[in-house]
Amino acid sequence: MKLSLSLLGPSLIRRVLLALLLALVAVWFTLAIYGYWQFTRTSERDRSLQLYGQTLLVELGKARSERDAIGVMATASEMFNTGLRDSKVEQSMLLQLNDRQGRQLYLSPESRGVPLALQPQAFYDVVINGAEYRVCLMRAAQWEIRLAAPKFSAQVLLKVLLPEMTIQMLIALPVMSLVIGLVVSGGLRPLRQLSQLIASKDKDDLSPLNFHSPYTELKPLTAALERLLQQLRSKIAREHAFVQDAAHELRTPIAVISAQAHVLARADTPAARQAAGQDLEAAIARASHLIAQLLELSHIDNDRLESSQQIDLADLLQTELARVAPAALARQIELGLNAPDTLPARLDAHAVQSIVQNLLNNAVAYIHAGDQIEVSLSQQGAQLLLEVADSGPGIPPAEQGRIFERFVRGTGHSVAGTGLGLAIVAQAVARLGGQIELGTGLAGRGCRFSVRLPLPAAAPAH
């Protein structure tokens, strides 16, 4: 039932059976051509006649008299010509028996009394009753035989070959189809079991399939499905953790806003109201900054990034350095840029801008007054190298392994922050197919963030 149902629509079994049918047709056609070539080849025809003659000579060697020898020839002639008549062939095989003195003892009746002419060679052509024959002459101690096979036309040969081959193919087709169909259907059973296992899972069930196939061809599929489920489990776990961390981080500024609003409502002096208002504005600014970074991280984390566009990376760096220059100047931080005048590249502008902005913001915020920040940009083959180095206090080695995680903030400082800046950088670098590394900064201290991004190949000129 399963086999018959699988043949109703598009299926692998039907494709295999159709391929089998086409293969049998190709084999049938090839054998027909080969058979025609064999029958029309003179050397092959001569070899067949010689084999027939040798068989007759063996039988004639058993004959005790001329009468027995004539009986052997008559039987052979009848056998050959009956086969030709059954194949709807009008020509006949002609046999002639002579003794060694040349006396004719037997001649096939189909020759109408016309004897087979004698020629010195073993194989020769003759015309009898208007038809062409190929004659084989063979001699033994007592007998001389002549076998004449008609030269079949292409139409006659195809008439003989094709029906026999067609019958053989028609017999083989259903047998082979049944066997192959059963084998393929059985071979696809693990695939059906896998599909049933997946269909039976709940929509929220991302647990491993634990499906072990005995077939090598299915193992890559099951391994790919297991990897996909693992990726989904990891993604959902990260999303849950992200939501929990975001809720936790937002709770603090919202609580401060609520408290300062309460203080502001109860303040009875202008000075108290001004202080409460300033604290309220600071809490609102912190919440707004956190929400903005959450939105930016959500955008960067989206699998569908904006389409790349032609941007000038050198100009983008200059713009971002100009943006942080007032804050750096206020803290007497020296900014430096080592980059070419222009460096065009086709990249996602928003992702690149997020990387530069967050690295510069972190550097300006966390280093001490009077320290240095140096930004460098260069192209190294098919890669872009962007480095932001500073001479600040750096990051303790024990904390360096987690600095790119969300909501992770270093210790030993009093700088307010969300712990999302470097996470945004890491996610943007990953989306652009690049790598980011943390090293030692300027003068053997501080931090150096090195970002390597692959540059897309230039589009061919039209």
Side-chain angles (χ1 to χ4, degrees):
M1 177 62 69
K2 289 183 179 179
L3 179 59
S4 61
L5 289 177
S6 64
L7 296 178
L8 296 179
S11 68
L12 290 175
I13 296 178
R14 191 172 70 172
R15 288 178 64 90
V16 171
L17 293 179
L18 289 176
L20 171 63
L21 178 60
L22 291 176
L24 286 176
V25 171
V27 169
W28 176 86
F29 185 73
T30 303
L31 290 178
I33 295 177
Y34 178 75
Y36 177 78
W37 176 72
Q38 286 284 81
F39 273 97
T40 55
R41 198 167 56 144
T42 302
S43 60
E44 182 65 23
R45 189 165 59 245
D46 290 349
R47 189 179 69 85
S48 298
L49 280 174
Q50 190 175 34
L51 288 176
Y52 293 153
Q54 289 173 351
T55 303
L56 279 175
L57 287 178
V58 171
E59 294 299 321
L60 288 173
K62 302 175 184 178
R64 298 177 180 271
S65 62
E66 291 184 354
R67 182 175 180 180
D68 292 341
I70 293 172
V72 170
M73 296 297 291
T75 301
S77 178
E78 180 64 22
M79 181 182 65
F80 288 140
N81 291 316
T82 298
L84 292 175
R85 286 193 295 268
D86 291 342
S87 299
K88 304 295 189 294
V89 177
E90 296 179 358
Q91 290 107 317
S92 302
M93 186 88 168
L94 305 181
L95 279 70
Q96 182 175 329
L97 174 65
N98 291 6
D99 59 17
R100 290 309 300 268
Q101 288 72 40
R103 184 166 56 93
Q104 179 178 308
L105 302 177
Y106 175 82
L107 179 63
S108 296
E110 289 81 5
S111 69
R112 302 174 190 174
V114 180
L116 302 178
L118 178 63
Q119 294 187 16
Q121 60 268 33
F123 297 96
Y124 53 93
D125 297 326
V126 297
V127 177
I128 299 176
N129 298 323
E132 293 184 357
Y133 286 83
R134 181 70 172 175
V135 179
C136 173
L137 173 63
M138 301 189 71
R139 293 185 176 92
Q142 188 177 356
W143 316 108
E144 175 189 278
I145 60 173
R146 303 172 195 175
L147 295 85
K151 290 187 174 182
F152 298 120
S153 64
Q155 182 179 1
V156 172
L157 285 175
L158 294 177
K159 186 178 179 181
V160 174
L161 291 172
L162 296 186
E164 182 178 356
M165 291 176 52
T166 302
I167 292 174
Q168 294 173 351
M169 291 296 179
L170 291 177
I171 294 174
L173 178 61
V175 176
M176 295 180 64
S177 299
L178 179 62
V179 172
I180 292 179
L182 292 175
V183 171
V184 173
S185 179
L188 293 177
R189 187 178 299 113
L191 188 60
R192 290 194 294 268
Q193 293 172 348
L194 177 60
S195 64
Q196 291 170 0
L197 176 60
I198 296 174
S200 65
K201 293 175 71 70
D202 186 78
K203 62 183 180 66
D204 297 323
D205 183 8
L206 296 177
S207 60
L209 295 173
N210 292 324
F211 181 83
H212 303 286
S213 170
Y215 299 110
T216 304
E217 292 79 6
L218 277 182
K219 290 180 180 179
L221 173 61
T222 54
L225 288 174
E226 294 289 9
R227 285 195 301 271
L228 177 61
L229 289 174
Q230 176 60 40
Q231 291 171 358
L232 291 174
R233 288 195 298 271
S234 300
K235 183 176 179 63
I236 291 176
R238 290 196 305 270
E239 302 242 341
H240 286 169
F242 176 73
V243 171
Q244 292 175 356
D245 292 340
H248 176 75
E249 293 294 326
L250 281 171
R251 184 168 54 188
T252 300
I254 289 176
V256 174
I257 291 172
S258 177
Q260 294 304 321
H262 183 72
V263 171
L264 182 62
R266 291 180 175 272
D268 52 3
T269 64
R273 284 194 294 272
Q274 183 179 4
Q278 290 175 348
D279 291 340
L280 180 62
E281 288 179 358
I284 293 174
R286 181 183 177 188
S288 298
H289 178 65
L290 176 58
I291 292 172
Q293 285 204 306
L294 288 173
L295 290 174
E296 183 176 7
L297 185 59
S298 174
H299 175 79
I300 294 295
D301 202 25
N302 194 325
D303 289 336
R304 295 188 298 269
L305 284 175
E306 295 177 2
S307 58
S308 59
Q309 53 185 299
Q310 192 76 12
I311 58 175
D312 189 339
L313 297 172
D315 183 66
L316 186 148
L317 279 184
Q318 293 171 7
T319 302
E320 292 302 323
L321 282 171
R323 180 184 60 81
V324 300
L329 184 62
R331 300 184 58 208
Q332 298 181 344
I333 294 174
E334 181 181 345
L335 297 177
L337 175 62
N338 181 15
D341 294 335
T342 179
L343 205 167
R346 193 163 198 79
L347 294 168
D348 185 286
H350 183 270
V352 175
Q353 190 173 33
S354 295
I355 294 171
V356 176
Q357 282 183 355
N358 283 281
L359 288 179
L360 287 177
N361 289 343
N362 267 24
V364 172
Y366 286 94
I367 66 175
H368 297 155
D371 284 337
Q372 296 177 325
I373 298 176
E374 183 173 312
V375 181
S376 63
L377 175 68
S378 62
Q379 181 176 349
Q380 299 181 351
Q383 282 190 331
L384 169 73
L385 175 61
L386 168 66
E387 291 187 320
V388 177
D390 62 61
S391 59
I395 300 174
E399 300 178 5
Q400 291 181 5
R402 300 187 61 218
I403 59 171
F404 295 112
E405 297 180 13
R406 299 169 179 177
F407 301 109
V408 172
R409 303 185 64 237
T411 59
H413 59 79
S414 59
V415 181
T418 62
L420 289 175
L422 290 180
I424 293 173
V425 172
Q427 192 64 29
V429 171
R431 286 293 179 229
L432 292 173
Q435 295 177 334
I436 183 169
E437 297 178 353
L438 172 61
T440 304
L442 303 176
R445 57 194 179 94
C447 296
R448 179 183 299 273
F449 291 94
S450 301
V451 177
R452 295 184 182 274
L453 300 177
L455 290 173
H462 295 284

